[in-house]
Amino acid sequence: MSSQFPLQNTHRNGASIARTTLEQTALFLRQNWLRLSGIAAALIFFFALPAMFDQIFGFSADFELHRVSLIGIFIIAAFAQNILTGYAAQPSLGNAAFFGVSGYMVVWLVNDLNQPYWLGLVAACAVAALLGIVTGGPALRISGAYLAIASLGLVMLANSILTLWDTTAGRESYLFNNIPAALTDDHSLYYFVLWVVIITLYLGYNLTRSRIGRAFTAIRDDEAAAESFGVNLTRYKLLAFTISATLTGLAGGLYATWGGTASSSMSSVDQTIAFLAMIVIGGLGSIIGSILGAIFVGLIPLLLGLLPNVITVGTVQIQITTLNTGIYGVLLLLALIYFPMGLQTIPALLQKFLQRRKQS
Amino acid sequence: MAAFLQVTLAGLVTGSLYGLLALGIVLIYRATGVLNFAYGAIGAIGVSVMYELIARGHFNFWLALLCALIFSFIFGFLLERIFARPVLNAPVFTKAIATLALALVLQTIADQIWPELAQSVRFATPFDSITTRIGGVYIRLTDIIIIGTASIAMAALTLFLTKSKIGIAMRAAAENMSTARLMGAPVSMLIALTWAIGSLVAALAGIMEAANLNYVGVHMLDSALLYVFIGAVIGGIESMPGAVIGGVLLGIADNILALYLAGHTLGPVNIGDPGVRESIIFAGFVILLFLRPQGLLGQRQLRRV
């Protein structure tokens, strides 16, 4: 599956078999056609989605599109968690703290201080990055389950402080009244989120292929070996915390925009565990895994909402609405039992299955 | 002073329950590497069974208690066989998230079986409204029984794990599964037994919490569970006495803070707000872990290179 686009076929003695660029491109396409066509299909699908929704849902298309936009925000947050946990192997559950703080920052800056929206978003990301460095430093001393629970404590701390801010200011949650007009329209919000996701994932893909990304993977696979090969553990772990916090901050700012409000539930244990659940279901250390996991966690509740409220089997009436959480839990369990390495393994499993059929 | 003693007593009661729950969590974590976030739901189901027996079955309190504990034991055993076995070899995160999914499923089922638990219900205990007064401190019989039972349960569990043959085999299986198997320990059975005992402990703690709070609910242990995890980690999640000490300390700290913060304000901020108390506890917890990353009684991890 490796992409061998670089000039690997040029002979050292300058013999005449240097391939032309055209041939190399053809080779690259031949080796990666499956992945490339998958990406192209996904892009076409997501760009055409609003039009499809107009056809399917009619009047409620905008509403449904708005709900689906949330999944894009989750993808960013899941990828952020994945950089930290899947690539750099830091089992930190603190990301929801940055998520909430950044959401409040955006609303505070844009609403109360009347700053332009983009400045608010950038400043919120910067604050999240700073918090990532501040908390990431001490976190390097802690490992394993201790780090997981300690960072969970960070989330609860953020939750308490944000709740306190709300109660002190005498409000339920922090209403975002000053959203730029362009983003109050569901279609433009969808495309805005979509573009942010595409740019984030493109940059993220390059990051994981860069020196930094390879250092993360080296730390994950064997810390001692990575260190002996000259990977500065402290620096790269801290970098992972910072990048992850920044991206989570971006997602948090978008979330406040999406919901028109920032509330302390953004920094809740449930939220942080949802981020972890996304990458565990999707697959650790994989971009496609982050996407699949966020879609699973974001979409399944929406699909369950489409079920009829009451199903009658014979004489028994089953109240589906009260069962939704349970059904979601069962689906989650099945996904974890059958794909312990995440949904990202589905394409590989499918390929293996097809090959076996071809052979027999 | 009386007020201080009164809250210390209350702290000791919640603390000993936290300690007992932490013990069960550490037991399962060490044996199977599962950070069990479904532990609160498992305990709550045991309590709900007890409520069912007393309220609808009109059982005597002690008989209901016995039946509920036996039920929880078997329930834990079945849970391990049906749920934990398929993910036994999965990565740690997968297992932790799987227990969260399990909690969702269990709570939904419990909500279906006992819809009345959404309202505030309770069951009567033989010790209700028996109170004495020593100095200025009111002591409920329930308080004494909870502290006593929790201590005895913790001591019994420790003795079982260190002295009995099965307990030693359980610890061996937790330490190294394949070696224990080679030594002839029935590892698969032992793991199921760990879950069964863990579930029993959860139900016992849950029933005492129900008596303490005078309230039964499917989500009654959810908020306690986070404190329990924090307590377990403060003490050192590899260490059983550490987990107990962490849980007790947390319970006492929480109650004492509540006493001293109540009614004070700092500028516009109402310090008596539970949020302030939680902030202080979580901040203290995070700072403590930064100072002692392996917990109070945990051993420093040495890395073999």
Side-chain angles (χ1 to χ4, degrees):
Chain A
M1 289 291 278
S2 68
S3 54
Q4 294 168 330
F5 193 39
L7 316 159
Q8 178 249 4
N9 285 307
T10 18
H11 267 214
R12 211 173 291 145
N13 54 10
S16 58
I17 15 178
R19 299 200 176 182
T20 64
T21 323
L22 197 66
E23 277 173 329
Q24 281 167 7
T25 314
L27 180 71
F28 177 70
L29 288 178
R30 212 164 37 240
Q31 281 170 342
N32 289 291
W33 66 271
L34 198 63
R35 185 183 299 185
L36 289 173
S37 49
I39 293 174
L43 282 179
I44 292 172
F45 175 80
F46 284 118
F47 273 100
L49 198 65
M52 290 195 277
F53 268 41
D54 284 341
Q55 293 295 316
I56 303 169
F57 294 107
F59 283 122
S60 62
D62 282 3
F63 173 68
E64 299 294 342
L65 197 63
H66 187 250
R67 301 213 294 179
V68 171
S69 307
L70 179 60
I71 294 173
I73 298 169
F74 280 165
I75 291 177
I76 300 173
F79 180 60
Q81 180 81 58
N82 220 337
I83 287 181
L84 189 57
T85 309
Y87 288 96
Q90 299 303 303
S92 166
L93 291 176
N95 272 6
F98 313 128
F99 193 67
V101 168
S102 160
Y104 273 71
M105 283 308 291
V106 169
V107 182
W108 184 60
L109 287 168
V110 179
N111 233 26
D112 291 14
L113 302 186
N114 278 314
Q115 300 299 318
Y117 177 76
W118 64 269
L119 187 68
L121 200 57
V122 170
C125 289
V127 169
L130 200 67
L131 280 179
I133 297 177
V134 170
T135 58
L140 297 184
R141 282 170 54 84
I142 315 175
S143 56
Y146 293 96
L147 178 58
I149 306 288
S151 47
L152 209 57
L154 193 71
V155 171
M156 292 188 274
L157 182 60
N159 181 276
S160 304
I161 292 174
L162 294 178
T163 311
L164 204 61
W165 189 1
D166 280 344
T167 46
T168 308
R171 59 179 179 230
E172 286 278 303
S173 66
Y174 205 170
L175 283 184
F176 195 175
N177 300 317
N178 247 355
I179 303 174
L183 292 182
T184 50
D185 173 58
D186 291 322
H187 270 74
S188 0
L189 180 68
Y190 173 83
Y191 281 117
F192 177 59
V193 171
L194 182 59
W195 274 111
V196 175
V197 170
I198 291 172
I199 294 169
T200 307
L201 292 186
Y202 176 72
L203 295 178
Y205 176 77
N206 286 335
L207 177 84
T208 58
R209 294 290 169 120
S210 71
R211 181 188 179 82
I212 298 172
R214 293 194 201 287
F216 289 165
T217 324
I219 293 174
R220 175 189 66 194
D221 291 344
D222 191 336
E223 262 187 30
E227 198 171 16
S228 66
F229 273 96
V231 173
N232 183 335
L233 290 186
T234 314
R235 184 201 294 167
Y236 280 105
K237 281 187 189 173
L238 210 52
L239 198 59
F241 269 100
T242 314
I243 295 173
S244 183
T246 314
L247 286 180
T248 313
L250 177 64
L254 290 177
Y255 185 85
T257 316
W258 174 84
T261 176
S263 75
S264 58
S265 65
M266 287 172 71
S267 285
S268 63
V269 174
D270 288 348
Q271 188 61 64
T272 212
I273 281 171
F275 293 155
L276 185 69
M278 288 174 200
I279 65 167
V280 167
I281 295 167
L284 294 176
S286 145
I287 290 178
I288 192 79
S290 313
I291 300 173
L292 291 177
I295 291 178
F296 186 98
V297 172
L299 196 62
I300 298 274
L302 293 187
L303 292 180
L304 288 176
L306 295 179
L307 287 175
N309 286 339
V310 181
I311 291 180
T312 318
V313 183
T315 55
V316 188
Q317 285 201 337
I318 304 172
Q319 295 283 338
I320 291 295
T321 28
T322 56
L323 286 177
N324 273 353
T325 344
I327 299 174
Y328 174 64
V330 170
L331 290 173
L332 198 56
L333 271 181
L334 289 178
L336 292 172
I337 289 174
Y338 288 103
F339 304 100
M341 304 312 286
L343 297 177
Q344 54 143 340
T345 48
I346 290 180
L349 291 177
L350 213 64
Q351 218 164 23
K352 210 183 270 175
F353 177 72
L354 289 178
Q355 270 169 6
R356 205 176 297 154
R357 281 195 48 180
K358 219 182 267 176
Q359 282 164 5
S360 61
Chain B
M1 191 60 199
F4 178 78
L5 286 177
Q6 188 75 59
V7 291
T8 311
L9 176 70
L12 216 53
V13 171
T14 37
S16 55
L17 290 180
Y18 289 169
L20 193 57
L21 286 168
L23 197 62
I25 282 174
V26 169
L27 190 70
I28 292 180
Y29 176 72
R30 289 202 357 174
T32 53
V34 175
L35 273 177
N36 195 347
F37 288 101
Y39 204 63
I42 294 172
I45 284 191
V47 183
S48 306
V49 167
M50 172 116 175
Y51 165 79
E52 169 84 24
L53 292 176
I54 291 183
R56 292 215 198 119
H58 302 294
F59 275 46
N60 164 302
F61 175 81
W62 297 107
L63 188 60
L65 178 67
L66 187 69
C67 292
L69 292 182
I70 293 173
F71 167 84
S72 296
F73 188 83
I74 299 170
F75 183 59
F77 193 89
L78 291 178
L79 267 189
E80 199 279 333
R81 280 293 138 109
I82 297 164
F83 156 77
R85 186 55 50 94
V87 291
L88 182 61
N89 294 318
V92 173
F93 281 131
T94 309
K95 288 193 272 200
I97 296 296
T99 63
L100 282 162
L102 178 69
L104 292 181
V105 175
L106 289 181
Q107 280 168 347
T108 308
I109 294 174
D111 278 333
Q112 294 297 309
I113 304 178
W114 297 287
E116 70 267 33
L117 290 189
Q119 277 91 47
S120 168
V121 291
R122 61 182 298 273
F123 54 73
T125 66
F127 338 106
D128 278 341
S129 67
I130 301 175
T131 312
T132 77
R133 190 172 164 198
I134 301 173
V137 184
Y138 289 93
I139 303 176
R140 296 181 300 167
L141 183 56
T142 314
D143 294 340
I144 297 173
I145 290 190
I146 288 176
I147 296 173
T149 315
S151 316
I152 292 171
M154 289 185 255
L157 203 55
T158 315
L159 274 181
F160 170 71
L161 286 172
T162 47
K163 300 287 182 221
S164 79
K165 201 174 169 187
I166 300 178
I168 292 172
M170 273 166 76
R171 287 196 300 145
E175 204 68 44
N176 188 329
M177 222 173 265
S178 42
T179 311
R181 201 168 270 141
L182 287 176
M183 305 284 281
V187 169
S188 145
M189 204 60 192
L190 289 172
I191 290 176
L193 189 63
T194 311
W195 272 75
I197 293 176
S199 164
L200 177 92
V201 168
L204 185 63
I207 289 167
M208 291 197 284
E209 179 80 340
N212 181 34
L213 301 176
N214 244 326
Y215 151 75
V216 178
V218 175
H219 300 270
M220 59 181 289
L221 293 176
D222 284 7
S223 55
L225 196 63
L226 283 168
Y227 276 80
V228 170
F229 266 107
I230 289 180
V233 167
I234 287 179
I237 199 157
E238 305 286 331
S239 143
M240 299 228 184
V244 173
I245 292 171
V248 173
L249 280 182
L250 204 62
I252 294 176
D254 192 33
N255 279 280
I256 290 181
L257 273 177
L259 172 70
Y260 284 106
L261 292 177
H264 293 283
T265 51
L266 182 75
V269 181
N270 172 19
I271 307 245
D273 191 280
V276 177
R277 190 170 85 227
E278 284 173 18
S279 307
I280 293 176
I281 286 182
F282 299 143
F285 161 66
V286 172
I287 292 169
L288 189 72
L289 261 194
F290 290 156
L291 297 177
R292 266 193 79 79
Q294 69 280 19
L296 291 177
L297 295 191
Q299 307 244 305
R300 187 172 277 279
Q301 294 266 315
L302 293 178
R303 222 162 13 120
R304 193 185 291 272
V305 176

